[in-house]
Amino acid sequence: MTIQTSTRSAHRGETAPVTQATRRIKKPASELWLRNITVGVIMASLVLLLLIPIGIAFVGSFHDWNPLNGRFDFTGIDNYAALFADPTFWRASSNTLVFGILAIAGRVLLGLAIAYALFSKLSRWRTFFRTIFYLPTVMPLVAVAFLWTLMYNPQFGAINTLFGLDVNWLFDQRFSLLAIVVMTIWKDFGFAVILFLAGLYAIPEDVLEAASVDGASAWRTFWHIILPLLRPMLFFIIITSMIGYLQAFVQVLVMTNGGPGTSTQLISFMIYDQAFVKYNFGYASAIAFILLIITALLTAASWRMNQSALDTPRRRRFTHRSKEKTS
């Protein structure tokens, strides 16, 4: 329905109807062209670099596919059936699960502890420490992996020398996966520190002052006030870490190449091994789609838990009161 209003002409002193459409400011043609070109390039890139490769890989997962000799024979669901009967896949899945849980827990706990320490009014040189803690995050992962490979060297490595140990960290099945987890936490915890600091500085100061006036201890303030208010940031870090660690590959390739045996072989490394070492692209595509489904399910579950945690009875009462006031 067109809404008409009246306005008085400045020159004739008459009333003339105008519509909302006439009030709209016309955008310059150059701006429209720039918008259309930008959006078009982005959409074309998504289709060419994302959707088409995913579609080809999905079709290839139902074929015996080797692009080197041109073999592309339809096999139905044989790749998926072989995948679920492959003990290497289950070993890689358990390694990925252990790696993800340990890496996420270490990143979150270490990042939260350091961020809370830097947030304290007793801390000094905060800018200096923020820079130091964030420095590993901006370093190339390949360089960090090579550096830690030297540190884990059983003969001249810094780890054994510093702690007086005699452990072959990367070639002992008992320690190889743990060694990669420690390197990954060191590389990534700085990003969690910055995000938690952003969440801490977003907490209203009057809330913390009220807790201090009420005599709440530091632990009760952290547990009952700060941690619940940090929950959205906490879930964000967990979800992004989970997506990233399910695709962890570079550190495994550089430090252990999946060994010894299959002790450090993750799902992403198994995809690389099947596709670019054994040239079994159909089988690798089937693994990739299973990984895609697992990632989507875990992300959806985490997002659902986050929404459920935020939808507390207190929040519902607050929302209900707000609606009553506005109505």
Side-chain angles (χ1 to χ4, degrees), residues 31 53 68 140 248 295 325:
E31 183 178 344
L68 292 183
T295 305
K325 290 180 180 179

Side-chain angles (χ1 to χ4, degrees), residues 19-316:
T19 63
Q20 285 187 344
T22 59
R23 292 180 177 177
R24 295 177 182 172
I25 300 175
K26 291 185 178 179
K27 296 181 180 179
S30 59
E31 183 178 344
L32 294 176
W33 272 102
L34 179 61
R35 182 197 64 182
N36 295 336
I37 291 174
T38 304
V39 174
V41 170
I42 293 174
M43 294 302 294
S45 301
L46 288 175
V47 172
L48 292 175
L49 303 177
L50 187 65
L51 296 182
I52 291 180
I54 289 177
I56 294 174
F58 179 70
V59 175
S61 68
F62 297 99
H63 290 75
D64 181 10
W65 181 18
N66 186 342
L68 292 183
N69 57 19
R71 187 172 66 245
F72 196 69
D73 301 327
F74 181 73
T75 58
I77 61 172
D78 288 353
N79 285 329
Y80 291 94
L83 175 63
F84 290 114
D86 188 352
T88 305
F89 171 73
W90 293 111
R91 178 62 187 271
S93 300
S94 63
N95 287 343
T96 303
L97 180 64
V98 172
F99 173 83
I101 291 175
L102 294 179
I104 291 174
R107 185 186 193 189
V108 169
L109 294 177
L110 188 61
L112 180 59
I114 294 177
Y116 194 56
L118 292 176
F119 181 69
S120 172
K121 296 180 180 178
L122 301 178
S123 298
R124 303 175 64 182
W125 303 339
R126 298 179 185 178
T127 304
F128 171 75
F129 284 112
R130 280 200 300 264
T131 305
I132 293 297
F133 291 135
Y134 192 69
L135 196 58
T137 304
V138 299
M139 295 175 65
L141 180 55
V142 175
V144 173
F146 272 115
L147 175 65
W148 277 80
T149 301
L150 295 176
M151 293 173 63
Y152 282 131
N153 189 285
Q155 296 179 346
F156 55 83
I159 304 295
N160 283 351
T161 304
L162 185 62
F163 296 101
L165 301 174
D166 185 17
V167 179
N168 197 345
W169 294 97
L170 300 179
F171 294 93
D172 190 326
Q173 294 190 6
R174 296 173 298 173
F175 305 108
S176 52
L177 186 61
L178 179 62
I180 295 177
V181 169
V182 172
M183 186 284 292
T184 304
I185 294 173
W186 182 87
K187 172 72 173 64
D188 293 341
F189 83 94
F191 188 60
V193 171
I194 297 302
L195 291 179
F196 277 128
L197 274 175
L200 287 169
Y201 283 115
I203 296 175
E205 291 187 5
D206 54 346
V207 175
L208 301 178
E209 291 175 356
S212 178
V213 170
D214 291 342
S217 63
W219 171 250
R220 290 177 65 86
T221 302
F222 173 79
W223 187 254
H224 294 287
I225 297 176
I226 292 178
L227 194 57
L229 294 176
L230 280 179
R231 187 172 295 163
M233 186 64 73
L234 180 64
F235 273 96
F236 174 77
I237 295 174
I238 291 175
I239 291 173
T240 54
S241 301
M242 185 173 59
I243 295 172
Y245 292 148
L246 282 173
Q247 305 173 41
F249 166 72
V250 174
Q251 53 267 57
V252 176
L253 177 66
V254 172
M255 299 178 71
T256 63
N257 201 27
T262 57
S263 60
T264 60
Q265 191 164 125
L266 307 181
I267 294 180
S268 55
F269 184 85
M270 189 178 176
I271 295 172
Y272 159 80
D273 184 62
Q274 290 291 333
F276 299 103
V277 177
K278 302 176 180 175
Y279 300 108
N280 192 354
F281 276 70
Y283 194 62
S285 299
I287 302 173
F289 267 90
I290 295 298
L291 180 61
L292 174 65
I293 293 172
I294 293 173
T295 305
L297 291 176
L298 290 177
T299 304
S302 302
W303 183 261
R304 181 68 179 174
M305 290 173 59
N306 184 28
Q307 294 299 316
S308 300
L310 292 176
D311 191 21
T312 59
R314 184 177 181 181
R315 183 184 179 88
R316 287 198 296 269

